[in-house]
Amino acid sequence: MKTSLYLFIFALTITKAPCQMITVALDGSGHFQSIQEAIDASQDNDTILVYPGTYFENLNLLGKDLVIGSLNLTTGDPTYIHQTIIDGNYNGACIAIRNMETAHIQGFTIQHGSGWVDGLGRTRGGGVNIYNQCDVSIINCSIINNICDMSGGGIHNVGSRLFLSGTLIKKNFAKWRAGGLSSSHLQNQNAILEFDSINLCSVYLNHAPVGADMFYQNDQVQEGFILDTFSVSIPTRYQVFQQIGDDDANDSIRLVANAYIINSLDADLYVNAIIGDNSNSGLSKDEPLKSLTWAMHKVNNMTGKDLTIYLSPGVYSPESNGELFPMSIRSRISIVGSGSENTFLDAENQNMHILTMYYQKNCKISNLSFVNGNGNAGLLFGTGSGYYYANKNIVFDSVSFKDNKGYQRIVSFITCDSVMIKNSKIVHNYGGKALRVGAAYNIGSLDKIEKVYVTNTLISNNLPWYDSIIPYGGSFGVSSTSLLKNPLRVDLIGCEITENTTDMNGGFTGCNNVYNNAEAYFINTTIGTNTMINPNTNPILYIGEKSKVALLNSIFYGNSPSSIMLYGDGVTPSELSISYSLIEGGSGTITGDLIGNNLFYDDSNIDTDPLFTGYGDFPYSLSGLSPCIDAGTLELPEGITLPTTDLAGNPRVWGGSVDMGAYEFNPISIGESRLQAKAPARIVASSNPFVHELGLTVTPKTGVPVCITVHNLLGREVARLLDQTDNRLAYTTLQWNGRGSAGENLPAGAYIISLVENGKEVESLRVVKSER
C-alpha cells in the first residue's frame, strides 16, 4: 500500500507541468555523475532520479522547483534510503532550498552537513537549510550526524512550509538551538510544520542546549503530532522547545510517540565519568550514569519538586565520557559536583562553550569547574564558558571558570534576574570580559527588574586573546538599554578584581565597564593591579551614559593607569559615588565629563598604600599596618548586606568596624600581629607597563644557582635575563628590552618574570609590554 502511495505522489508531481527525468549514477550510466550537475541542467518541475552511491555534495537548487529522489521514489523500496547518501563532507548544508523554491526530496540518507553560512559567519541547517517562502516535502529520508553553529542541526526551516513523512532525524547537533529540527517564522512570512500522521517520522538523540530535538513557534503545531520513536518517554521543553511569542516557552509538549529511547525519571540522579554506565539506573552512587548529557535527558521533575544531579570527582568532557557541549539544565534542577578542584566540565577547546541556560528558573550549580571552553566570533556571540539568557533565580556557588577562551565574554548573563554568583572564581581566561551582564529590551515587559549579585568572588588574571579578531580582555562589564524603565543592577560585594589585562585595540572603554542604563555597586571590593595596554589612556573603570556606580568600603590601587572615567549622554547625568574607600590618586584619578554628570567624592576616602600582605593564597589581604583596617562603614545602601565571611573565609566584621576591601584583617585567623607589614618584594619593576625597556631590581640569594627568566602566559620561556651557577650577587639591576632569547621582538602582552633559586621558583612578577 505504501509503494502505491509513493508512486501516486511521484506521478502527481511529474504531471503537474511538462518535465523531464534526469538520472544520476556514479558509474556513468546516467545522464550525470553528480546531483548538482543534474540540478544545473534541469528546469522547473524536472525530476532527478539518483542511483545508489555516496555523493559528496552540497546541493543548491538555484531557484528551481524540483523533485529529487533515490530509487525509493519509483519503487518504494526502503533499502535505497541507506544505499543513496548525500554527504556534505562538513563543507556546508547538504541541501539548501531557499527563496520561494519548491522541492520534493525522497529516499536519501543526508549526513555530515555543516550548515548554510549567514552574514555573521554562523551556520544554520546542517543537513537541510530551508529559507523564505519555500514549499518542501521530505519523504523517507534519514537525516543523521549533521552539525551547525546556531539552529537546526538536522533541518532549519524559516518562513516556509515543511512536510515530513517517514523521515528519521537522529544524532544531529546544534550549538545553540534545535539539534534535530528548527522551524520559525520570518518577519511577516509564517512557517508551517506538518508531520505525516500515517507514515510516521522518528526524532531522537539529537543535541542542542535549547530544544535538544526540536524548536518551533507554538502556533505551527497547535494540535500536536505523532511520532514513531522519540528520545524520552515524557517529553519536556528540554527536548522540544515550543516558543510562545517572544518571552516564554510551553512546558506542555503535545507530542505522542509509539516508542522512546530513554525512560524519564522523577528522581535525583548520580553520574560518574570513570565507572558509570548510561545503561545503569542512575538512582544511586552504586549504579551511576556515565555522562551528564544522558542524565539531563533522563531527569524529569514531573511533580514540580526540586531535583539534583550529583557528579562524582572526574573530568566530564567529549573525549573522556562522551559529553556533548554546550548543554543546558532545566528549571528546578541542580548540578552538584564534588568540589571545584575535583569535578571538571571540560570542553577540551573544541570550539564550543560549555553551558547555555535559556528561560530557566530556580536552578543551582555548585562545587565544580568550567574549563577549556572556546567561543569565537561566530559561536553565540563569542561566549567562552557559559551563556545565560532570560533566566531567574539561578545560583552559582563555589564554581570556578578557568582557562576558557571567548571572543567577547567568558561568562555572560543577558536579561537575567535574581542571579547570584558566590564563593566562586573567574580566573585565567582569555578574550572578552570575564563577567558580562546585559539586558535586551525585546524580552518581556519593558518594566521588568533585572539584578545580578556577585559575592565573595575572585575575578583575576583574565587576559586578551590575541588569536581572536579583537583581543579585548578585562574583568567586568554591565550594560542595559535605555528603552527599559528600570536600570539593570549588579552588586559586587566582597569581591577581588585583580591582575586583569585589557587590550581594547583603540576602543573607548575600560577594564571594568558600566554604561547604558546600568547600575553597579562595588561594596568591600578590591580593584587592584589591573592593566590597560592599548591604548593605555583608557580607564580601569569606565562609567557611561545613564548609569550609576557606587564604591563603598572598597580599594582601588595599583592599577595602570590609575584612572576612573565618568561620562554621560549629555541629557541624563550619570553618577559616581565614592565613600569609605581607598582610591590611589584621590579625586584626581577621576576624569571625563565632571560637569555634565554627578560626582560624589566623600571626605571619608583615603589616598595611600593599602599595605597588602603580598604573599600566600591571598596576597591582596591586609597586613597588620594597613590603613584600611576598621576604616569602612556598616551603613550600607538599602537592600545590601555583607556576607558573614570575607573572600578568604574569615569573619567579615572583626574589631571595631568593617575593613576596606575584600578581606577582613583578623590576627587570630591569619596568625599575624597587627604591627607586621608585608615582606619586601624580591623583584621590583619600573616603568611597568613598558614599551621599549623594563627596569628590574632583584635581590637573589647568594651561594646558590640563580636564574631570572621571562615566560609568556602559556608557560613557555622566551628569555633568560640572568643565569648564575653560584650566585654572588645579593642585589642586581637588570633591563629587559622586550625581546626573546634569539633577539626577536616579542608581541605586546603580559609576561611573567621569575626568580629561580636552586631550581625552584621563589618569586614571580607579572609585567606588561605595551605597543605604545
Side-chain angles (χ1 to χ4, degrees):
M1 183 174 179
K2 286 186 178 180
T3 299
S4 300
L5 175 64
Y6 302 143
L7 292 174
F8 173 74
I9 294 173
F10 173 68
L12 181 64
T13 303
I14 63 174
T15 55
K16 65 181 181 180
C19 60
Q20 62 179 330
M21 173 80 76
I22 303 173
T23 58
V24 179
L26 290 174
D27 62 5
S29 60
H31 295 107
F32 297 96
Q33 290 180 279
S34 84
I35 305 172
Q36 188 62 55
E37 288 177 335
I39 294 172
D40 294 344
S42 68
Q43 298 180 6
D44 279 350
N45 303 321
D46 282 350
T47 295
I48 298 173
L49 190 64
V50 183
Y51 282 76
T54 300
Y55 297 82
F56 293 95
E57 303 195 48
N58 305 97
L59 304 181
N60 189 327
L61 270 60
L62 303 175
K64 301 173 183 179
D65 300 339
L66 297 172
V67 175
I68 305 175
S70 72
L71 297 185
N72 174 266
L73 179 71
T74 55
T75 69
D77 187 344
T79 61
Y80 288 115
I81 298 171
H82 306 292
Q83 295 175 15
T84 317
I85 301 169
I86 301 173
D87 191 310
N89 204 28
Y90 298 118
N91 192 37
C94 295
I95 306 175
I97 306 168
R98 301 174 63 82
N99 299 319
M100 297 181 286
E101 296 171 346
T102 297
H104 178 110
I105 309 296
Q106 182 166 334
F108 293 100
T109 292
I110 299 170
Q111 67 183 26
H112 301 160
S114 58
W116 181 275
V117 181
D118 67 15
L120 297 176
R122 303 174 299 191
T123 58
R124 304 171 192 266
V128 182
N129 183 283
I130 306 166
Y131 179 81
N132 187 26
Q133 301 182 62
C134 296
D135 192 340
V136 179
S137 296
I138 299 177
I139 314 294
N140 296 346
C141 288
S142 290
I143 301 174
I144 59 174
N145 295 323
N146 300 282
I147 63 173
C148 71
D149 293 335
M150 296 300 289
S151 298
I155 303 173
H156 182 61
N157 174 46
V158 177
S160 300
R161 174 189 173 272
L162 172 62
F163 174 72
L164 293 164
S165 176
T167 290
L168 168 64
I169 304 174
K170 173 186 175 182
K171 291 188 176 180
N172 301 284
F173 177 85
K175 295 177 182 177
W176 169 231
R177 194 168 68 185
L181 165 65
S182 173
S183 186
S184 57
H185 302 316
L186 175 65
Q187 297 174 347
N188 296 325
Q189 181 62 42
N190 288 342
I192 300 172
L193 177 61
E194 299 176 84
F195 286 86
D196 194 329
S197 61
I198 299 174
N199 187 27
L200 298 179
C201 297
S202 292
V203 182
Y204 57 86
L205 297 186
N206 301 282
H207 181 81
V210 180
D213 285 304
M214 285 187 277
F215 173 96
Y216 58 84
Q217 265 95 8
N218 191 58
D219 57 356
Q220 293 180 49
V221 190
Q222 295 183 3
E223 302 302 322
F225 50 91
I226 302 172
L227 297 177
D228 180 65
T229 305
F230 189 63
S231 292
V232 297
S233 58
I234 302 178
T236 70
R237 64 175 174 172
Y238 184 81
Q239 287 83 25
V240 181
F241 195 101
Q242 297 179 104
Q243 189 171 39
I244 303 174
D246 292 326
D247 60 355
D248 206 350
N250 194 346
D251 280 310
S252 177
I253 308 302
R254 294 183 294 277
L255 181 155
V256 177
N258 294 331
Y260 56 86
I261 304 298
I262 302 172
N263 183 32
S264 302
L265 286 176
D266 188 356
D268 295 341
L269 295 178
Y270 295 82
V271 183
N272 190 315
I274 301 172
I275 65 170
D277 191 311
N278 287 335
S279 64
N280 289 340
S281 69
L283 294 173
S284 71
K285 291 182 179 180
D286 296 328
E287 287 194 16
L289 301 173
K290 179 75 171 178
S291 73
L292 177 59
T293 304
W294 196 264
M296 287 307 310
H297 275 290
K298 199 172 184 70
V299 71
N300 188 334
N301 46 359
M302 294 170 275
T303 58
K305 61 185 178 182
D306 296 335
L307 297 176
T308 301
I309 299 174
Y310 295 96
L311 303 182
S312 295
V315 176
Y316 295 78
S317 72
E319 291 296 327
S320 66
N321 68 321
E323 298 293 0
L324 296 174
F325 297 129
M327 66 170 57
S328 182
I329 63 176
R330 66 188 74 183
S331 295
R332 307 197 72 158
I333 301 292
S334 296
I335 300 176
V336 178
S338 302
S340 61
E341 299 300 319
N342 300 309
T343 306
F344 302 89
L345 303 186
D346 187 346
E348 299 171 335
N349 283 308
Q350 292 191 19
N351 211 23
M352 63 186 71
H353 64 279
I354 298 170
L355 185 65
T356 288
M357 292 176 62
Y358 192 73
Y359 290 107
Q360 306 298 339
K361 300 177 182 178
N362 306 321
C363 303
K364 184 176 182 180
I365 302 169
S366 60
N367 300 317
L368 53 82
S369 288
F370 294 85
V371 299
N372 297 322
N374 189 335
N376 64 26
L379 297 179
L380 201 58
F381 320 113
T383 299
S385 175
Y387 184 80
Y388 309 96
Y389 187 84
N391 302 288
K392 188 171 184 177
N393 297 329
I394 310 296
V395 176
F396 293 81
D397 188 0
S398 303
V399 171
S400 175
F401 301 89
K402 186 178 181 181
D403 294 326
N404 301 285
K405 297 176 181 178
Y407 164 64
Q408 289 186 321
R409 59 204 84 184
I410 301 301
V411 185
S412 180
F413 295 93
I414 305 297
T415 311
C416 293
D417 185 31
S418 299
V419 170
M420 175 173 285
I421 304 173
K422 62 181 182 178
N423 309 317
S424 295
K425 297 179 181 180
I426 309 175
V427 297
H428 204 264
N429 301 286
Y430 297 86
K433 289 291 183 285
L435 175 60
R436 175 75 171 82
V437 182
Y441 71 89
N442 61 333
I443 305 299
S445 169
L446 296 182
D447 294 330
K448 63 180 180 285
I449 297 175
E450 298 172 10
K451 190 170 182 180
V452 174
Y453 307 84
V454 187
T455 64
N456 285 0
T457 290
L458 174 65
I459 305 175
S460 182
N461 200 30
N462 297 289
L463 307 167
W465 185 17
Y466 286 100
D467 288 337
S468 63
I469 299 173
I470 301 177
Y472 288 116
S475 50
F476 171 75
V478 53
S479 65
S480 182
T481 168
S482 58
L483 297 177
L484 294 180
K485 178 181 178 180
N486 300 302
L488 169 61
R489 176 169 164 174
V490 180
D491 292 348
L492 296 100
I493 305 172
C495 296
E496 179 191 320
I497 304 174
T498 58
E499 301 185 21
N500 302 285
T501 299
T502 307
D503 186 343
M504 296 305 299
N505 204 25
F508 189 64
T509 48
C511 188
N512 300 276
N513 303 326
V514 182
Y515 61 96
N516 198 7
N517 196 25
E519 294 183 356
Y521 289 78
F522 296 86
I523 310 296
N524 280 99
T525 290
T526 297
I527 305 174
T529 325
N530 300 286
T531 303
M532 173 68 68
I533 62 174
N534 187 19
N536 59 14
T537 55
N538 275 21
I540 295 300
L541 176 58
Y542 172 81
I543 301 104
E545 61 275 15
K546 295 184 68 175
S547 293
K548 178 180 179 180
V549 171
L551 279 77
L552 179 69
N553 296 345
S554 293
I555 298 174
F556 186 89
Y557 186 82
N559 301 290
S560 180
S562 181
S563 175
I564 301 172
M565 188 174 289
L566 175 61
Y567 270 99
D569 60 5
V571 179
T572 303
S574 293
E575 179 179 313
L576 171 61
S577 174
I578 305 176
S579 57
Y580 292 94
S581 296
L582 186 151
I583 306 295
E584 183 180 17
S587 59
T589 293
I590 306 166
T591 61
D593 182 3
L594 305 184
I595 297 176
N597 298 285
N598 299 323
L599 171 63
F600 303 97
Y601 192 87
D602 195 73
D603 291 339
S604 59
N605 298 315
I606 58 177
D607 173 16
T608 186
D609 189 333
L611 296 178
F612 298 129
T613 58
Y615 59 84
D617 294 334
F618 306 101
Y620 291 90
S621 61
L622 304 177
S623 70
L625 293 176
S626 174
C628 300
I629 297 173
D630 294 340
T633 178
L634 291 172
E635 295 183 8
L636 305 177
E638 184 178 355
I640 292 179
T641 58
L642 294 176
T644 57
T645 63
D646 67 6
L647 191 54
N650 297 318
R652 176 67 266 188
V653 179
W654 187 90
S657 183
V658 68
D659 299 345
M660 294 178 178
Y663 301 93
E664 188 81 4
F665 176 80
N666 184 341
I668 297 175
S669 61
I670 66 175
E672 179 177 314
S673 166
R674 186 177 174 86
L675 298 180
Q676 282 184 293
K678 63 181 179 179
R682 298 178 65 189
I683 307 176
V684 178
S686 58
S687 302
N688 185 24
F690 71 102
V691 177
H692 301 295
E693 190 171 80
L694 175 74
L696 293 169
T697 301
V698 185
T699 55
K701 189 176 181 179
T702 59
V704 299
V706 171
C707 290
I708 300 175
T709 59
V710 183
H711 289 75
N712 62 21
L713 294 178
L714 297 178
R716 183 173 67 87
E717 182 179 316
V718 296
R720 183 164 291 204
L721 308 182
L722 180 70
D723 194 349
Q724 299 284 350
T725 57
D726 185 12
N727 179 58
R728 300 299 177 187
L729 301 172
Y731 177 88
T732 184
T733 57
L734 301 167
Q735 283 75 41
W736 181 44
N737 60 6
R739 293 182 177 272
S741 296
E744 72 277 18
N745 189 28
L746 296 173
Y751 294 88
I752 304 297
I753 309 289
S754 297
L755 173 61
V756 179
E757 297 173 348
N758 276 323
K760 181 179 179 181
E761 181 182 297
V762 295
E763 187 161 327
S764 63
L765 176 69
R766 181 172 171 271
V767 300
V768 176
K769 180 182 179 184
S770 179
E771 290 184 350
R772 57 180 179 176

